[in-house]
Structure formats: C-alpha cells, structure tokens
Amino acid sequence: MRRLGAVLVALLLTGCATGPSLENQGAVTAAPGDSHHLTIGSAGFTESDLLAQMYALLLDQAGYKTSLLTVANRELYEPALESGQIDVVPEYAATFADWLNAKTHGADAAPAGSPDLDATMTALRRLATPRGLTVLDPGRAVDQNAFAVSASYAREHDLKTLSDLGASGLEVRLAAGDECVQRPYCEPGLKKTYGIDITGVDPKGVGTTQAKRAVQSGDDQMVLTTTTDATLGDFGLVLLADDKHLQNADYVVPVVNRARAGSEGVTKALGALNDVLTTADLASMNQQVDSWRRLARDVARAYLADKGLLK
C-alpha cells in the first residue's frame, strides 16, 4: 500500500487534472459511469479505514472488483478523486463542504457547512457537481466535535447536556487544542450558545490521552473530543449532548467520481450501509481496532455480516 501511495503522489505531482474543467462550472452532462474496477480511498485514520473496508466489501458483493488506496492528505486524495485515480471515498458532509468551498472560493469564503444537514448537503452537492463528483446520501452516523466530562462530575451535578452545564453556573476549564479559543464551535460557541463559564483552555489537543487524563484527574472539567471517540470509557468520561446543535453536520457520506462510479449499482450497494450504521457502531468498531488491535477489514466484515449485509 505504501508503494501504491507513492505512485499516486507521483502521478499527482506530474499532473492529474483530467476531471471536468471548472471554467465550465454548470451542468455536468455526462452519463454516470459504471466502471467495474473501483479504487476505494482511505484518509489513513482508523475510522476512514473501516469505512473504506466496508465500502469495498459491499461493492465486491455487488459484482465490482475493488482495491484500496490510503492517501492521508485531502489535498492529494480529493484531486485524485476528481481525476478518477480514486473512485470512491468516505467523507464528512460539513467538513468536505467547507474544504471544497475554500478550494473554489478562497480561504476567506464564508463556511458552506452548518449544523443543518439538509442545507449542508445542498451546499456540498452544489460545490461537488462541477468537479465531476457525486455525493451520495448520508446515513445516521456522524463524527462531530463533542464535549465530555467525567462520569462522576456528571452525576454530581446532574449533567446530561451542554445546556445543563450552562445552567449549572459551574466554572469550567476546557482541555482542547489551542485554536479552541477562536473557533466558533469551541470556546466562543460554548459561551454564546450554552452560557458555559469557560475560565480557560488547557492546550492539550483534541481528544488526546493527555487531555482526557486532565479531566479524569479533575485538573480540567471538560475535554473536546469527537462523537465516535472509542476510549472515553477507559478514562471514566461521558459525552454531554449537543442539544442546541452547535456542531456542524459532519455525517458520513460516500463521495464518488461520477464518470466512473456514479451508477445506480454503486449507489445501491453503498446505500445499504445507511440503513444500519450508527454513530455508536462507528465508535465500537474504532475501539475494536484501536484498543483491541483487531484488523480493520476483519472488524468491517464482522459488522456487515452481523447486520445481514454480507452473504
């Protein structure tokens, strides 16, 4: 896989702009393609690997021949997706919408993603279509920023939601990345949307072991992590619900190269996952890979078989 990744990087560096010209941003009129040899891209972290493996297994069962390719940098794999060197990739709706928006309109463009899933999907598809990309429907699984406290702290103060924490009047020191002090979904949003009294940000990173230990020990009261964090229980932590929807709609969505993988067959095969995959399922699978050291392909296969999606 390393060799294939190096080959792809070399191809990208020598020019791969074979997708639709953005000078003609408008209708992409070519019929959806149905190549039977598809390359599934992964961004190289556990969850992306799991999703890519599930996509490959479902497409294999539907009669396609698949291979997997890991390209950890979106700046590389997105152009490869446009050019058809990668045919299918798991993405996150709001994050990908913002990334394409910045690529299209510049780094200072207003965000395209939002907490509203329908609005986010509309914006994402509007940005993806001129690039020859089709964004398939999202399911129920979402990997958003999230905030966790110790289970004992939650019990002591009767906390289930971020609104509960705001109403409590408790002073909160937050373990997060140093960018949290400026990001609207982090310290400013917690103060404005929930009225939480953030007294400081402890720059220990997003969901890192050090950040979780700081909350576990009581040095900090809350940690910024994600909704599919598989290790919260190991530190005695629980998520507080984002009940006012501060975070963007980062639902898992398959994105395909329309000319090679825009067919009904691909859409139907991958759509089967939408009916079953939940955020909790993703967290459980992440844990099996990260904590139990199981192979992503084995975990993906077992999950699909358990859900009746593999024969």
Side-chain angles (χ1 to χ4, degrees):
M1 195 66 74
R2 284 180 193 274
R3 183 181 66 80
L4 286 173
V7 170
L8 177 57
V9 170
L11 286 170
L12 289 168
L13 291 176
T14 56
C16 66
T18 59
S21 171
L22 291 182
E23 294 175 0
N24 297 317
Q25 287 199 18
V28 175
T29 57
D34 195 21
S35 172
H36 281 265
H37 294 78
L38 299 175
T39 300
I40 317 299
S42 166
F45 57 93
T46 295
E47 187 169 292
S48 188
D49 288 344
L50 283 163
L51 289 163
Q53 292 284 359
M54 287 190 283
Y55 289 2
L57 289 164
L58 290 169
L59 289 166
D60 287 343
Q61 181 171 257
Y64 295 88
K65 292 184 179 180
T66 64
S67 59
L68 272 74
L69 184 61
T70 299
V71 185
N73 190 317
R74 187 178 276 114
E75 283 76 7
L76 290 177
Y77 75 67
E78 190 278 331
L81 185 62
E82 287 188 32
S83 71
Q85 291 171 297
I86 292 175
D87 303 304
V88 184
V89 70
E91 262 293 356
Y92 300 90
T95 295
F96 197 45
D98 285 342
W99 195 88
L100 286 181
N101 194 45
K103 183 176 180 179
T104 303
H105 300 295
D108 295 330
S114 75
D116 185 319
L117 177 59
D118 290 340
T120 296
M121 288 298 296
T122 297
L124 174 54
R125 284 171 167 153
R126 185 171 59 246
L127 291 159
T129 297
R131 295 183 177 276
L133 306 180
T134 296
V135 183
L136 305 185
D137 289 340
R140 294 180 287 166
V142 58
D143 189 351
Q144 296 170 301
N145 292 302
F147 297 91
V149 299
S150 71
S152 58
Y153 183 82
R155 285 194 301 270
E156 179 183 357
H157 301 289
D158 195 23
L159 305 176
K160 295 183 176 62
T161 68
L162 290 170
S163 288
D164 292 339
L165 182 56
S168 73
L170 293 165
E171 293 185 347
V172 175
R173 181 172 164 85
L174 176 63
D178 53 11
E179 72 279 3
C180 177
V181 296
Q182 297 178 327
R183 295 284 175 86
Y185 67 79
C186 204
E187 181 182 356
L190 290 171
K191 289 180 174 179
K192 181 178 179 180
T193 302
Y194 289 107
I196 297 173
D197 185 8
I198 305 294
T199 60
V201 172
D202 187 3
K204 294 188 181 302
V206 179
T208 63
T209 296
Q210 293 84 355
K212 292 171 191 172
R213 283 178 176 164
V215 176
Q216 183 183 38
S217 68
D219 291 340
D220 298 330
Q221 287 71 51
M222 188 161 68
V223 60
L224 170 62
T225 182
T226 65
T227 52
T228 59
D229 189 324
T231 64
L232 291 177
D234 297 341
F235 297 89
L237 307 182
V238 295
L239 292 178
L240 295 181
D242 179 22
D243 53 309
K244 293 185 179 178
H245 308 293
L246 172 63
Q247 304 305 320
N248 281 346
D250 259 331
Y251 285 74
V252 174
V253 289
V255 182
V256 305
N257 177 288
R258 177 184 172 87
R260 289 184 49 80
S263 69
E264 183 179 349
V266 170
T267 299
K268 183 177 180 181
L270 298 182
L273 195 57
N274 288 351
D275 296 332
V276 298
L277 185 65
T278 66
T279 303
D281 291 342
L282 273 181
S284 174
M285 286 188 279
N286 285 338
Q287 182 179 37
Q288 291 176 58
V289 175
D290 291 337
S291 297
W292 304 355
R293 302 305 181 193
R294 295 186 62 192
L295 295 176
R297 185 171 180 84
D298 292 342
V299 173
R301 182 182 295 278
Y303 175 79
L304 294 177
D306 181 64
K307 297 298 182 179
L309 296 182
L310 284 187
K311 298 176 183 178

